[in-house]
Amino acid sequence: MRIRHFAATALLWTGLVASSVQAQPRPCLTDGEAEALFQVLLPDMVSEMGRVCTALPASAFLRRPNPAFAARLQSGVAPALPSARSGIAKLLGPDLQPIAGSMFVLPALKVIVVPLAGQMIEPADCPKLDKIVANLAPLPPKNLAGVFVGMAQLDADRRKDGPKLPLCPMARPK
């Protein structure tokens, strides 16, 4: 099943883009940085799900315009930007950290990451994605991003091969 890969893909491709410019190890992304990065990408990712899942009925959550949900997701972008930029700086490494604050970095990441994540969606996954997003939609953007990062961490823990986004290990509950 590729649904859990969808959350991982956004974070993974961000890391892959950055890792292609350097071979040295990078520090891991904290939960907060990964969540912020995903929170910034979330409005475009949800739109991409709706664009890709055209076989869903018109009444499906991902297919019908939901201005209130879209506005809520968008409202989460600005507060997440500082932590997202910190995570991007880590991914870029010391030589390229100065461009993490550039106004061009986030649009460039979106242009690369969102379509690649969309390609990971299999048509059979669309009804499941629709149900997941519809059920999680009432969450604040930060919490919604946290759920997707948790899924990415699960995926990273289970993967034995292939590139992984450098996520710091999830803290154990006390």
Side-chain angles (χ1 to χ4, degrees):
M1 181 165 73
R2 311 254 286 180
I3 290 176
R4 69 175 188 240
H5 293 291
F6 186 75
T9 299
L11 295 171
L12 175 63
W13 282 107
T14 302
L16 289 177
V17 168
S19 68
S20 67
V21 296
Q22 67 176 20
Q24 63 201 41
R26 297 175 312 264
C28 63
L29 294 180
T30 66
D31 281 348
E33 291 164 338
E35 288 170 8
L37 189 53
F38 202 91
Q39 190 172 332
V40 167
L41 295 172
L42 209 49
D44 297 289
M45 298 296 282
V46 171
S47 293
E48 182 72 359
M49 286 184 226
R51 189 193 68 73
V52 170
C53 292
T54 57
L56 288 172
S59 61
F61 186 83
L62 290 173
R63 294 286 319 279
R64 65 178 189 260
N66 189 328
F69 178 56
R72 229 171 7 88
L73 289 180
Q74 195 60 44
S75 74
V77 171
L81 280 174
S83 290
R85 288 189 188 284
S86 173
I88 291 168
K90 280 184 180 179
L91 291 173
L92 292 174
D95 294 339
L96 297 174
Q97 281 182 355
I99 69 167
S102 163
M103 63 186 224
F104 301 107
V105 169
L106 290 173
L109 285 176
K110 288 178 182 184
V111 166
I112 295 167
V113 172
V114 173
L116 288 172
Q119 290 176 7
M120 297 292 294
I121 299 172
E122 294 179 6
D125 291 338
C126 288
K128 296 170 194 118
L129 277 172
D130 186 65
K131 182 176 182 175
I132 290 168
V133 174
N135 283 308
L136 294 175
L139 291 176
K142 182 176 178 16
N143 296 84
L144 186 55
V147 169
F148 283 106
V149 169
M151 290 175 15
Q153 287 171 320
L154 278 173
D155 184 62
D157 290 347
R158 292 183 178 154
R159 292 178 67 171
K160 301 293 183 220
D161 58 345
K164 296 179 188 176
L165 185 67
L167 295 172
C168 297
M170 188 180 276
R172 294 197 175 266
K174 295 179 182 182

